[in-house]
Amino acid sequence: MLKNSWTKFTMAIISLVSQTFIKFPVSAVNNAYCQFDQNAIATKETLRQNAIAGNASAQQQYKQMLQEHGDLLRNCRRNNWLKEQAIWLRLYPCDVQGGSIDKVLDNIVNLGYNTVYLEVFFDSQVLLPKNGNYTPWPSVVDVAGQENRDLYAETLQKGRERGLKVYAWLFSMNFGYLYAQRSDRQNVLARNGKGQSSIDVVQDRSQAFIDPYNAQARQDYTKLLQAVIQRRPDGVLFDYIRYPRGSGQQSLVSNVKDLWIYSDASKQTLFRRAQNQQGRWLLERYVNQGFINANDLAQMRSLYPNESTPLWQGRSASAPSNLSTVQLDIWYFTVAHAAQGVIDYLDFASNQVKQRGIQTGAVFFPDGNQVVGDIGFDSRLQPWDSFSQDMEWHPMSYALCGNPNCIVDQVKRVLKSSSQGSNVQPVLAGFWGKNDGQRPSLESQMESIRTSAKPVESVSHFAYSWLLPEHTRERQSCGL
């Protein structure tokens, strides 16, 4: 009897607090970043816990509060210079527990975020139900009794109940370590002139980059994409649209054998770009040998005396045929071939999404396309300034200089290459309300962008795990 009385009393208090909030909703959002006050947060969390416990009244009130908070957040963003504030989110097997996704999304709304970038393909795993996973990668949730759980679809639904947009965020050219161990996929991996894959070069051995020209890679990725877009996210973001970056000297490329063009598909595509026999012969000699010299040019001319100069796509018949000019031309051409693979792969993937009327976006490093020295390049060869302008551009603006200036400079560099500006949506790293060594607070970063990097109206924060580390640790080790 006492237990029943206590339950009724508790629910009466919850109802009273909820009604008070409903009466004065504007007070729930208490700052310029559309974050909710602690009273509203506590009320919602209590309702969530009681709703999970099966209390019908709490379930109804909780659902009502979710809608009200969604309306408040939408109105706040509408009246704010920052129309969209997004967060990057990874789910774990522990999130199959009742109420776990609800708590994550409530925390996201509480912090003023109105968009979620949900990771659905990462580290050789896909966020698809085990019984409905027809991709080459294992499912994130591999728990007995949970074979049909679709955390991706559940998050889409629960996010929309809160007024959130939910994007699918995918690794793209990085297929993961487990994929690289498959004996039937060795030809798919990108390789350099030393026969290495990215597993041999990247220190943490977790990154397995594929040859973007490989048909099997595209077929495998298409299976994943079709499952992703079938669930109708609000957008799809492509990450790792680049080649690997090693450490030290391996962080740049200055010789053809540094380039990730030595798997068969990439090499054959390169050789087909030749436009005469001299061009084909010289490209093959250059790639296989790693250089060309005067003897190579002499041998080429003796083999094909009826042709005046080696030709390949973009090279004019009137181009000088002296050794130094040919050496530079062929170097820049092989670099362009590598970079074109990245562009083509992104187009191949994004076009499948666009055809379904879903927004697409590319995630990249603002300095991933820079020249290094006289003829060198950043080894990532990420030609983001050639990415489609009708995509969202998400530059990872992580510069470290102790103040927001270098971050703003990265954003400005991207804005300069954008024909419209409004598609540039910077990705920021840091913490609310505190400086993290060389990285200023999120507030100061956003304020600097507001005043110095117009017309940006959308930013995102990397990541939920950084901003709520304790909750993330709980979700990583629940003992399932």
Side-chain angles (χ1 to χ4, degrees):
M1 190 68 166
L2 181 61
K3 182 178 180 180
N4 290 338
S5 298
W6 177 252
T7 301
K8 291 178 180 178
F9 175 76
T10 302
M11 291 312 304
I13 292 296
I14 293 172
S15 177
L16 179 61
V17 174
S18 177
Q19 290 170 12
T20 302
F21 171 73
I22 294 168
K23 187 176 180 180
F24 304 104
V26 71
S27 65
V29 181
N30 65 356
N31 64 21
Y33 299 99
C34 300
Q35 297 173 343
F36 286 77
D37 65 34
Q38 291 304 311
N39 289 334
I41 292 171
T43 300
K44 184 164 59 176
E45 174 59 13
T46 302
L47 287 172
R48 185 190 69 84
Q49 292 178 10
N50 283 279
I52 294 170
N55 186 293
S57 177
Q59 290 170 355
Q60 183 179 359
Q61 292 179 72
Y62 179 55
K63 184 176 181 179
Q64 182 181 357
M65 181 167 276
L66 294 183
Q67 183 176 348
E68 290 166 352
H69 279 201
D71 291 341
L72 286 170
L73 182 57
R74 191 178 301 109
N75 290 334
C76 183
R77 284 282 157 228
R78 188 181 297 120
N79 296 319
N80 196 299
W81 75 272
L82 192 58
K83 305 305 179 188
E84 183 174 59
Q85 182 175 278
I87 191 167
W88 303 78
L89 173 67
R90 175 178 291 186
L91 297 182
Y92 305 95
C94 292
D95 288 315
V96 300
Q97 296 182 117
S100 181
I101 293 176
D102 294 282
K103 184 172 183 179
V104 169
L105 296 178
D106 285 352
N107 287 339
I108 286 171
V109 170
N110 294 341
L111 287 170
Y113 297 102
N114 60 341
T115 302
V116 179
Y117 300 149
L118 176 66
E119 203 166 18
V120 298
F121 173 47
F122 60 96
D123 294 349
S124 291
Q125 303 174 87
V126 292
L127 195 65
L128 296 172
K130 186 174 182 179
N131 282 348
N133 180 9
Y134 305 106
T135 75
W137 300 277
S139 297
V140 172
V141 178
D142 187 7
V143 180
Q146 300 291 337
E147 292 84 0
N148 293 314
R149 285 296 295 275
D150 191 340
L151 295 188
Y152 171 34
E154 289 178 28
T155 305
L156 287 172
Q157 176 189 345
K158 291 178 181 292
R160 286 164 183 161
E161 289 173 354
R162 292 161 172 80
L164 296 169
K165 287 198 299 182
V166 182
Y167 280 42
W169 160 33
L170 295 80
F171 283 17
S172 299
M173 287 174 57
N174 177 7
F175 277 19
Y177 180 82
L178 292 179
Y179 185 95
Q181 304 312 300
R182 292 180 55 141
S183 60
D184 61 345
R185 293 296 192 273
Q186 294 306 299
N187 290 335
V188 176
L189 304 179
R191 296 190 182 276
N192 61 22
K194 303 170 187 176
Q196 297 171 313
S197 74
S198 56
I199 294 291
D200 304 312
V201 172
V202 180
Q203 287 184 340
D204 62 10
R205 295 178 61 84
S206 68
Q207 298 181 22
F209 284 79
I210 51 88
D211 174 3
Y213 290 103
N214 186 278
Q216 182 66 60
R218 294 187 174 208
Q219 181 179 332
D220 289 342
Y221 202 68
T222 294
K223 286 183 179 179
L224 169 64
L225 271 182
Q226 293 307 308
V228 168
I229 60 183
Q230 182 182 30
R231 289 160 171 80
R232 302 296 302 181
D234 293 293
V236 176
L237 299 184
F238 297 101
D239 200 354
Y240 282 94
I241 303 291
R242 60 178 178 87
Y243 295 102
R245 186 182 193 188
S247 58
Q249 291 185 341
Q250 291 181 313
S251 65
L252 62 92
V253 292
S254 56
N255 181 279
V256 65
K257 291 211 169 186
D258 297 329
L259 297 176
W260 298 94
I261 60 172
Y262 280 81
S263 54
D264 188 63
S266 185
K267 279 201 301 184
Q268 294 309 314
T269 303
L270 173 64
F271 298 154
R272 286 195 296 271
R273 296 187 190 278
Q275 295 187 331
N276 65 0
Q277 290 177 309
Q278 283 192 3
R280 171 85 184 211
W281 187 91
L282 198 63
L283 281 170
E284 291 185 7
R285 175 60 64 94
Y286 181 60
V287 168
N288 294 329
Q289 185 173 263
F291 61 89
I292 54 171
N293 54 31
N295 291 334
D296 296 319
L297 290 184
Q299 184 177 355
M300 174 197 72
R301 288 168 182 144
S302 68
L303 288 169
Y304 307 104
N306 295 327
E307 297 176 354
S308 61
T309 190
L311 297 177
W312 43 77
Q313 290 174 1
R315 192 167 200 265
S316 169
S318 61
S321 58
N322 59 295
L323 177 61
S324 60
T325 299
V326 174
Q327 284 176 325
L328 277 179
D329 285 354
I330 201 168
W331 161 242
Y332 287 128
F333 183 67
T334 52
V335 171
H337 165 73
Q340 189 63 47
V342 176
I343 296 169
D344 290 350
Y345 189 84
L346 177 59
D347 287 344
F348 136 79
S350 62
N351 285 340
Q352 296 182 59
V353 180
K354 292 175 185 175
Q355 288 170 4
R356 300 288 289 272
I358 299 173
Q359 179 65 54
T360 61
V363 188
F364 57 86
F365 289 102
D367 56 356
N369 64 344
Q370 289 191 339
V371 176
V372 181
D374 293 331
I375 61 168
F377 293 87
D378 186 295
S379 63
R380 292 168 291 189
L381 287 180
Q382 191 167 42
W384 56 261
D385 49 331
S386 295
F387 291 170
S388 173
Q389 294 278 353
D390 64 2
M391 302 181 72
E392 294 176 356
W393 286 8
H394 295 260
M396 293 179 282
S397 308
Y398 297 164
L400 297 174
C401 63
N403 61 71
N405 294 340
C406 53
I407 295 167
V408 170
D409 288 344
Q410 286 189 329
V411 176
K412 284 183 174 180
R413 181 168 183 259
V414 177
L415 284 170
K416 189 175 180 180
S417 295
S418 171
S419 62
Q420 49 190 330
S422 59
N423 70 328
V424 176
Q425 303 179 17
V427 187
L428 308 178
F431 299 93
W432 289 104
K434 67 176 181 178
N435 190 309
D436 176 29
Q438 291 183 297
R439 191 172 276 127
S441 70
L442 292 172
E443 293 95 326
S444 60
Q445 292 182 51
M446 289 188 289
E447 179 61 19
S448 295
I449 288 173
R450 183 183 73 83
T451 57
S452 306
K454 299 176 181 178
V456 170
E457 293 183 341
S458 172
V459 303
S460 63
H461 296 161
F462 190 90
Y464 186 94
S465 59
W466 285 27
L467 299 179
L468 291 94
E470 291 185 8
H471 187 218
T472 300
R473 283 192 292 270
E474 291 174 7
R475 295 164 48 237
Q476 287 174 322
S477 56
C478 62
L480 280 177

